[in-house]
Amino acid sequence: MELLKHFKKKLVLVFITALFLFLVFTVKTPSTYNSIPKPSGLPSACSMRISEQTITPLNNTKHLLVSAYMDQRVKDFDIRIIGIFRRDSIQPLHCFFCCIGYLSKTTPATILQHPDNFGFPFVTTDVMCQIPQNCNATHVTLLTTPDKESPSTDQWLPIRNKDTVGQKEENMQFDFTVCISNLFGDYNNVLQFAQTLEMYKLLGVNRVVIYNTSCGPELNRLLQSYSDEGFVEMVPWPIDKHLNPSRGWLHSEHGGDVHYFGQLTTLNECIYRSMERSRYVLLNDIDEIIMPYQHDDLMSLMNTLQNQHPNAGVFLIENHIFPKKHFEPSGRFHLPQWNGVPGINILEHIYREDPARNVYHPHKMIVRPRMVEWTSVHEVIKNFGERYKVPLDVCRIIHVRVALQGSLTLEQLNVDKRLWDFQEKLIPNVDKVLKRVGMLNLT
């Protein structure tokens, strides 16, 4: 009898133990985790369809996507997708995210066309998205229908600036970045470009971003050299593979699908590309130099301007033309080692036009990228701070090109030798880079 009781006790103990183990391994996940969406794909669900192009056609539309950036400056939005959209074919779109471990449900997209289209059928467009709750998004795409589970052909855009949002401006990788919007055709102005880049180095620029559709062979060689050393960031811009880009700025005069090879898109893209890595961004053309006249470099200039105008995020710099048909008479900078190098020698052009004040006169800009939302070529369209027009005696653009006021005589122009202040360092630096690419005349 005692043996039977002992056996029953052991049996009960085994049953209780088994019941406890069953509950431990089958109990539901605590409610604090119930909000995590059920994965609808593998961790690598989007890895095989990530776009590696700078221009990506959007399926089932006439639109093009360029890049996606984390941007939480505008209420209720997390992501800004920069694109080029056909104005007469805007349709509802839906943001679709690749989260770490699964694919999200879609969220509605807000489509914002930039106001400057100059009559062209395609326009720079921002698509604003909100990331779904609890999604650690790494990539995004756009769909024409909501709640598509697993698109087989849609290309994912990586979300940039995700890991650097919030760092202090003074801790950024660069102080100054120059954005050169477009190179196209057979542009081959090697000497002026080498002089301009070396001048910018002396002024404290750390990076030059160039969107390149095409250029001449010698200039391509020079750009590759600068790219190899890390000073120039070359962004392929095959806009001509997708659209018929215009070589002009006005559709009624120049025709084509999009303004000036997509210049407005590349300027805006460059601002966002630089937003979390550069304190300041210079927006100017390849043949322009934003030149301080009372300071030795750009940082000294901006420290002064920022102290005087702490809430300013856009600094407007007036453009001044140095006609290339007028040469400095002594010929002291007509250097034999530069003979045969394609392009203009900017040191030989010291005569400056006074802008005609009775007509619109364009500016270019130095901006704090975090304070800019949209830009056009000569002014910012939407920004978060103040704008300041920099006085001419403090800073102006040196722009050696065809005369804007061709009727002016030499006596009606101003002598401006500001570039000569840097000639002792500028000339040997230009010689060095030209020698590096095999274009320096050593005979």
Side-chain angles (χ1 to χ4, degrees):
M1 196 72 179
E2 288 295 324
L3 187 63
L4 184 61
K5 286 183 179 180
H6 180 69
F7 178 77
K8 286 182 177 179
K9 285 182 180 178
K10 288 185 100 175
L11 191 62
V12 170
L13 187 60
V14 170
F15 175 77
I16 291 172
T17 302
L19 181 62
F20 174 78
L21 292 173
F22 174 80
L23 291 173
V24 166
F25 288 104
T26 61
V27 69
K28 289 179 67 177
T29 304
S31 60
T32 52
Y33 294 95
N34 283 347
S35 60
I36 298 179
K38 183 180 179 181
S40 61
L42 299 173
S44 59
C46 63
S47 62
M48 299 304 292
R49 300 189 302 275
I50 297 172
S51 176
E52 297 181 354
Q53 308 303 313
T54 48
I55 302 175
T56 303
L58 178 59
N59 282 354
N60 304 314
T61 75
K62 298 179 180 179
H63 311 318
L64 304 172
L65 303 182
V66 177
S67 52
Y69 291 92
M70 180 73 77
D71 183 9
Q72 297 174 316
R73 298 172 302 166
V74 180
K75 186 180 178 183
D76 297 328
F77 295 112
D78 303 301
I79 301 295
R80 183 184 301 268
I81 300 173
I82 299 173
I84 303 174
F85 279 33
R86 174 110 188 168
R87 291 193 293 136
D88 63 4
S89 302
I90 302 300
Q91 63 202 95
L93 295 173
H94 308 270
C95 307
F96 190 45
F97 292 93
C98 183
C99 313
I100 293 181
Y102 65 96
L103 300 177
S104 75
K105 297 294 184 181
T106 59
T107 59
T110 298
I111 302 170
L112 304 173
Q113 296 184 52
H114 288 220
D116 280 359
N117 57 61
F118 302 106
F120 289 96
F122 285 83
V123 64
T124 303
T125 302
D126 289 359
V127 180
M128 308 298 290
C129 299
Q130 189 174 54
I131 298 175
Q133 188 176 7
N134 299 308
C135 167
N136 188 354
T138 60
H139 299 77
V140 64
T141 191
L142 295 172
L143 306 177
T144 54
T145 57
D147 300 324
K148 188 175 181 182
E149 285 295 324
S150 183
S152 58
T153 58
D154 293 285
Q155 295 287 300
W156 296 95
L157 300 180
I159 298 172
R160 303 169 186 254
N161 294 352
K162 187 169 179 286
D163 300 323
T164 54
V165 171
Q167 70 172 321
K168 294 181 178 179
E169 284 187 350
E170 56 267 27
N171 295 333
M172 289 184 176
Q173 182 180 3
F174 305 127
D175 288 322
F176 294 95
T177 295
V178 176
C179 292
I180 305 294
S181 56
N182 299 82
L183 274 181
F184 59 86
D186 56 357
Y187 186 85
N188 206 36
N189 191 351
V190 173
L191 183 55
Q192 182 171 6
F193 192 58
Q195 292 171 329
T196 298
L197 289 193
E198 293 302 325
M199 189 65 248
Y200 268 137
K201 281 186 179 181
L202 294 175
L203 291 174
V205 168
N206 313 104
R207 174 63 62 92
V208 176
V209 180
I210 299 176
Y211 293 78
N212 184 25
T213 301
S214 64
C215 62
E218 289 83 7
L219 183 57
N220 188 64
R221 199 158 86 233
L222 179 71
L223 289 173
Q224 189 58 54
S225 176
Y226 276 118
S227 178
D228 290 343
E229 76 173 23
F231 184 58
V232 165
E233 180 179 349
M234 294 287 289
V235 182
W237 189 246
I239 188 69
D240 54 342
K241 307 300 182 189
H242 303 277
L243 300 174
N244 174 27
S246 177
R247 292 174 176 264
W249 70 275
L250 191 62
H251 182 260
S252 60
E253 292 184 13
H254 306 103
D257 290 330
V258 66
H259 165 272
Y260 211 58
F261 275 71
Q263 180 184 30
L264 294 174
T265 304
T266 55
L267 287 174
N268 281 275
E269 207 282 335
C270 193
I271 286 176
Y272 283 89
R273 178 180 293 259
S274 308
M275 192 167 288
E276 296 301 324
R277 69 182 188 186
S278 188
R279 291 182 68 179
Y280 296 101
V281 168
L282 286 68
L283 302 171
N284 59 266
D285 291 342
I286 196 169
D287 56 355
E288 298 172 336
I289 299 172
I290 295 180
M291 174 64 76
Y293 273 68
Q294 296 182 6
H295 303 81
D296 293 332
D297 53 56
L298 288 166
M299 184 54 76
S300 300
L301 167 69
M302 294 314 299
N303 284 341
T304 299
L305 293 177
Q306 209 69 79
N307 286 334
Q308 295 171 347
H309 308 278
N311 297 321
V314 177
F315 299 86
L316 297 164
I317 316 296
E318 192 170 88
N319 192 19
H320 284 249
I321 306 300
F322 290 65
K324 67 178 184 178
K325 68 179 181 179
H326 297 299
F327 288 81
E328 186 274 322
S330 74
R332 60 179 292 197
F333 292 114
H334 187 78
L335 304 178
Q337 68 267 32
W338 293 347
N339 289 339
V341 180
I344 298 168
N345 179 359
I346 61 177
L347 290 171
E348 293 188 281
H349 304 282
I350 62 171
Y351 299 102
R352 171 172 49 83
E353 294 181 2
D354 269 334
R357 299 298 176 185
N358 58 333
V359 296
Y360 173 75
H361 189 64
H363 293 74
K364 295 298 173 67
M365 293 170 284
I366 302 175
V367 303
R368 295 167 65 185
R370 285 181 173 179
M371 298 179 73
V372 175
E373 189 174 355
W374 289 354
T375 191
S376 187
V377 179
H378 301 296
E379 61 183 356
V380 165
I381 300 171
K382 293 176 73 174
N383 62 296
F384 297 99
E386 298 174 0
R387 308 178 194 192
Y388 177 66
K389 184 177 178 181
V390 180
L392 303 181
D393 61 334
V394 176
C395 184
R396 63 168 65 104
I397 293 173
I398 294 177
H399 191 182
V400 180
R401 49 153 283 175
V402 173
L404 199 63
Q405 303 173 68
S407 61
L408 294 178
T409 65
L410 198 61
E411 292 71 29
Q412 293 174 297
L413 300 174
N414 304 284
V415 175
D416 186 334
K417 299 179 181 179
R418 174 59 171 154
L419 281 171
W420 291 11
D421 294 339
F422 299 89
Q423 56 93 8
E424 288 187 4
K425 293 181 179 180
L426 179 61
I427 292 172
N429 289 353
V430 172
D431 286 348
K432 182 179 178 181
V433 71
L434 291 177
K435 182 178 180 181
R436 191 169 68 208
V437 296
M439 285 187 265
L440 192 68
N441 186 355
L442 300 176
T443 58

